[in-house]
Amino acid sequence: MSLTTAATTVPIACNTAAITFVPSPVAIPAVRGEFALRLAMRHAGTRDVTVRYELLGEAGLPVVFVAGGISAHRHVAASAAFPEAGWWQEQVGPGRAIDPEQHRVLSFDWIGAAGDLDTVIDPVDQADAIAALLEALQIERVETFVGASYGAMVGLQFAERHGARLGQLVAISGVHRAHPFSSAWRALQRQAVALGALQCDEAHGVALARQLAVLSYRSPEEFDARFGAPQVVDGRVRVGAEAYLAHCGQKYVERTSATAFLRLSESIDLQAVDPRRIALPVTVVAVAEDRLVPLQDAHALVEQLRGETRLCVLRSVYGHDAFLKEEGEIARILRTTLAEQLEQAA
Amino acid sequence: MSLTTAATTVPIACNTAAITFVPSPVAIPAVRGEFALRLAMRHAGTRDVTVRYELLGEAGLPVVFVAGGISAHRHVAASAAFPEAGWWQEQVGPGRAIDPEQHRVLSFDWIGAAGDLDTVIDPVDQADAIAALLEALQIERVETFVGASYGAMVGLQFAERHGARLGQLVAISGVHRAHPFSSAWRALQRQAVALGALQCDEAHGVALARQLAVLSYRSPEEFDARFGAPQVVDGRVRVGAEAYLAHCGQKYVERTSATAFLRLSESIDLQAVDPRRIALPVTVVAVAEDRLVPLQDAHALVEQLRGETRLCVLRSVYGHDAFLKEEGEIARILRTTLAEQLEQAA
């Protein structure tokens, strides 16, 4: 429901709805913290890293771990303590699919996201850092790990390596491997960063890399509906999507260093999970139009998983970004899986 | 038939076959020439350009005009006069689908390909330059225009603007418009060139742009079959396709200037043909796996063409590059369309 739309048509009903269905966020406790971790990394020896987390909801509630793409972070949703919008505001919050009145929502900043770790970071390292985070917070068990994109990859790693501490996994638009074509796409993004770095213009290279990434996150169908014909401007051809892409690139460099981008981009390419070693319940969500994670790879994943396995295939013009854009469909899947988990626990 | 393969198994039969089926190229006359043209360009006023052509086969034979992608050129096939391999060696030559013993094969270097024309070049300009080339050579009529990729786009322009001089068009993997998503892809390639130019390293930017283009020419299916898992080398992740792509980029910069690449890349994005203004026979060849020219756009094209229209849909892991790789299928289509044309003329 969009408040803006509702307000235009029936302003009074809208206000009532807001009062009735959206409880004050003051009621939800939220804490942020960080701790130093000596992490045995897969390709980089033992390193001292900082783990930064955010925890939303009362102690004692079943824990849901939430992880997004490489540009996501620990702040998934607004709270009284941290009122700025989170990256998954649509799915996490009172009355939303992942409701911090019913679950304790845990999330963290990816190892390497701060740009302070210039080494090869395996998805394995992220899963092990999450296990260490649980130890540090004395949380014995994650009831549901909800991961999207890179978060789904790390969720599979966590299920493979730390399955005893996990109830179920929801893996959205991320699978057991990186597709070689998508890896090539990312390798060229990293080369754009390298080209920018040659002239000491890190931001320019990262902005171009991000624009290339955005193309892989979306679909031709969306661009066709959204952007018009090219124009000749000042002796150059300017295509319909160019201003939008430039905006995406600019926004990204404001919050991402070249090192963070490079190391997390590389990390995606290192994904290698053996699904036959995962015996817990997994809900795999795939998008038919995803150009980065082809549907066939989701099929291969569910064929090999050993536990109770479910495959949900969505259709979306938003391709890989459907987890951010198809709010209704994603909410429906999350509500179902989380409700089942609560029933089982009861 | 590969001589290498045959030689391994039945060397004598192979030699016999070679003598029997491949006539000496000495018999085929081939000329190259160029002339100065004052061209009224669509976006750039009147300019003096040089038109460089190659003509293969006896005068009097029906003329086939051949045009490929933006990196193709006038030398389509080897001859005694110009013995180096051409860019479409598999399709053009004695005994091949486009046989210079039966047709006079005309081709040219794209306007702008020499990098000497740093202005906006519309596909219309290419079609008009071809018309001027015909005037200069006193060729009244092209019986068949065979265009692939950008060549198909220009073929459609030629059919729209100079249809009275054309018998039929075979348009392979190129349609009446540039898809907005593909245009975005090309715009980012041009930005890679711009990023390289900022540090006076034109070749580096063009090489990266070419690698990005190669991704759009091929398919995930091919890369999946061809390239293995990433490796960690010297503290960096190197993906399976990286060496291959680097090679493609390097080869390209050896023969293409930044200006030529930029202006011809832009030109693709300016494609705008009204198919309802084309009433001559058109064979549209589309590839289901083409990520640059979606099959739906080929459908839209054939629905609007007014003449006798045929659509051939190929399946190929080579995607947009199928016209260079699926020799058998493309040859079959070309043989059929050219034979029909010869029969009609008889």
Side-chain angles (χ1 to χ4, degrees), chain B residues 27 123 127 135 167 195 199 221 239 250 307 315:
Chain B
E135 299 274 359
L195 181 57
Q199 50 160 352
E221 292 75 15
V239 310
Q250 204 42 53
R315 299 298 310 257

mmCIF file of all heavy atoms in Angstrom, chain B residues 27 123 127 135 167 195 199 221 239 250 307 315:
data_model
loop_
_atom_site.group_PDB
_atom_site.id
_atom_site.type_symbol
_atom_site.label_atom_id
_atom_site.label_comp_id
_atom_site.label_asym_id
_atom_site.label_seq_id
_atom_site.Cartn_x
_atom_site.Cartn_y
_atom_site.Cartn_z
ATOM 1 N N ALA B 27 40.314 -17.674 -61.177
ATOM 2 C CA ALA B 27 39.249 -17.432 -62.153
ATOM 3 C C ALA B 27 38.364 -16.243 -61.775
ATOM 4 O O ALA B 27 37.704 -15.667 -62.636
ATOM 5 C CB ALA B 27 38.400 -18.683 -62.286
ATOM 6 N N PRO B 123 22.462 5.393 -39.642
ATOM 7 C CA PRO B 123 22.397 4.287 -40.616
ATOM 8 C C PRO B 123 21.892 4.750 -41.986
ATOM 9 O O PRO B 123 22.249 4.187 -43.020
ATOM 10 C CB PRO B 123 21.422 3.303 -39.973
ATOM 11 C CG PRO B 123 21.461 3.601 -38.518
ATOM 12 C CD PRO B 123 21.751 5.074 -38.395
ATOM 13 N N ALA B 127 23.244 3.898 -45.910
ATOM 14 C CA ALA B 127 22.397 3.479 -47.039
ATOM 15 C C ALA B 127 22.571 4.426 -48.217
ATOM 16 O O ALA B 127 22.662 3.996 -49.379
ATOM 17 C CB ALA B 127 20.929 3.417 -46.602
ATOM 18 N N GLU B 135 25.795 4.227 -58.066
ATOM 19 C CA GLU B 135 25.894 5.236 -59.139
ATOM 20 C C GLU B 135 27.308 5.264 -59.704
ATOM 21 O O GLU B 135 27.515 5.216 -60.922
ATOM 22 C CB GLU B 135 25.577 6.640 -58.588
ATOM 23 C CG GLU B 135 24.207 6.841 -58.006
ATOM 24 C CD GLU B 135 23.170 7.204 -59.065
ATOM 25 O OE1 GLU B 135 23.538 7.311 -60.252
ATOM 26 O OE2 GLU B 135 21.986 7.364 -58.701
ATOM 27 N N GLY B 167 16.274 -5.907 -55.293
ATOM 28 C CA GLY B 167 15.399 -7.042 -55.540
ATOM 29 C C GLY B 167 14.831 -7.617 -54.257
ATOM 30 O O GLY B 167 13.612 -7.701 -54.077
ATOM 31 N N LEU B 195 36.319 6.886 -20.451
ATOM 32 C CA LEU B 195 37.144 6.761 -19.237
ATOM 33 C C LEU B 195 38.598 6.526 -19.610
ATOM 34 O O LEU B 195 39.508 7.120 -19.016
ATOM 35 C CB LEU B 195 36.603 5.619 -18.371
ATOM 36 C CG LEU B 195 37.307 5.332 -17.041
ATOM 37 C CD1 LEU B 195 37.348 6.552 -16.147
ATOM 38 C CD2 LEU B 195 36.590 4.184 -16.298
ATOM 39 N N GLN B 199 42.588 9.390 -19.519
ATOM 40 C CA GLN B 199 43.994 9.230 -19.137
ATOM 41 C C GLN B 199 44.863 8.995 -20.374
ATOM 42 O O GLN B 199 45.941 8.418 -20.281
ATOM 43 C CB GLN B 199 44.151 8.091 -18.155
ATOM 44 C CG GLN B 199 43.470 6.825 -18.623
ATOM 45 C CD GLN B 199 44.017 5.611 -17.916
ATOM 46 O OE1 GLN B 199 44.983 5.705 -17.197
ATOM 47 N NE2 GLN B 199 43.414 4.479 -18.162
ATOM 48 N N GLU B 221 24.804 -19.731 -22.193
ATOM 49 C CA GLU B 221 24.919 -21.169 -22.453
ATOM 50 C C GLU B 221 26.314 -21.495 -22.995
ATOM 51 O O GLU B 221 26.948 -22.468 -22.587
ATOM 52 C CB GLU B 221 23.852 -21.618 -23.467
ATOM 53 C CG GLU B 221 22.412 -21.554 -22.946
ATOM 54 C CD GLU B 221 21.835 -20.140 -22.874
ATOM 55 O OE1 GLU B 221 22.420 -19.210 -23.484
ATOM 56 O OE2 GLU B 221 20.815 -19.947 -22.197
ATOM 57 N N VAL B 239 38.361 -14.898 -13.313
ATOM 58 C CA VAL B 239 37.282 -15.802 -13.731
ATOM 59 C C VAL B 239 37.647 -16.495 -15.041
ATOM 60 O O VAL B 239 38.575 -16.082 -15.742
ATOM 61 C CB VAL B 239 35.915 -15.068 -13.856
ATOM 62 C CG1 VAL B 239 35.629 -14.252 -12.603
ATOM 63 C CG2 VAL B 239 35.864 -14.198 -15.105
ATOM 64 N N GLN B 250 42.101 -7.121 -27.134
ATOM 65 C CA GLN B 250 43.405 -6.781 -27.681
ATOM 66 C C GLN B 250 43.394 -6.823 -29.204
ATOM 67 O O GLN B 250 43.893 -5.924 -29.875
ATOM 68 C CB GLN B 250 44.463 -7.744 -27.112
ATOM 69 C CG GLN B 250 45.860 -7.178 -27.138
ATOM 70 C CD GLN B 250 45.894 -5.708 -26.721
ATOM 71 O OE1 GLN B 250 45.382 -5.337 -25.667
ATOM 72 N NE2 GLN B 250 46.452 -4.852 -27.566
ATOM 73 N N GLY B 307 5.948 -6.307 -47.967
ATOM 74 C CA GLY B 307 6.180 -7.197 -49.103
ATOM 75 C C GLY B 307 6.087 -8.659 -48.696
ATOM 76 O O GLY B 307 5.620 -8.999 -47.609
ATOM 77 N N ARG B 315 18.066 -21.480 -33.502
ATOM 78 C CA ARG B 315 18.510 -21.652 -32.123
ATOM 79 C C ARG B 315 20.026 -21.764 -32.162
ATOM 80 O O ARG B 315 20.560 -22.537 -32.963
ATOM 81 C CB ARG B 315 17.939 -22.949 -31.514
ATOM 82 C CG ARG B 315 16.420 -23.028 -31.440
ATOM 83 C CD ARG B 315 15.816 -21.948 -30.562
ATOM 84 N NE ARG B 315 16.437 -21.852 -29.258
ATOM 85 C CZ ARG B 315 15.902 -22.329 -28.136
ATOM 86 N NH1 ARG B 315 14.734 -22.912 -28.149
ATOM 87 N NH2 ARG B 315 16.537 -22.184 -26.982
#
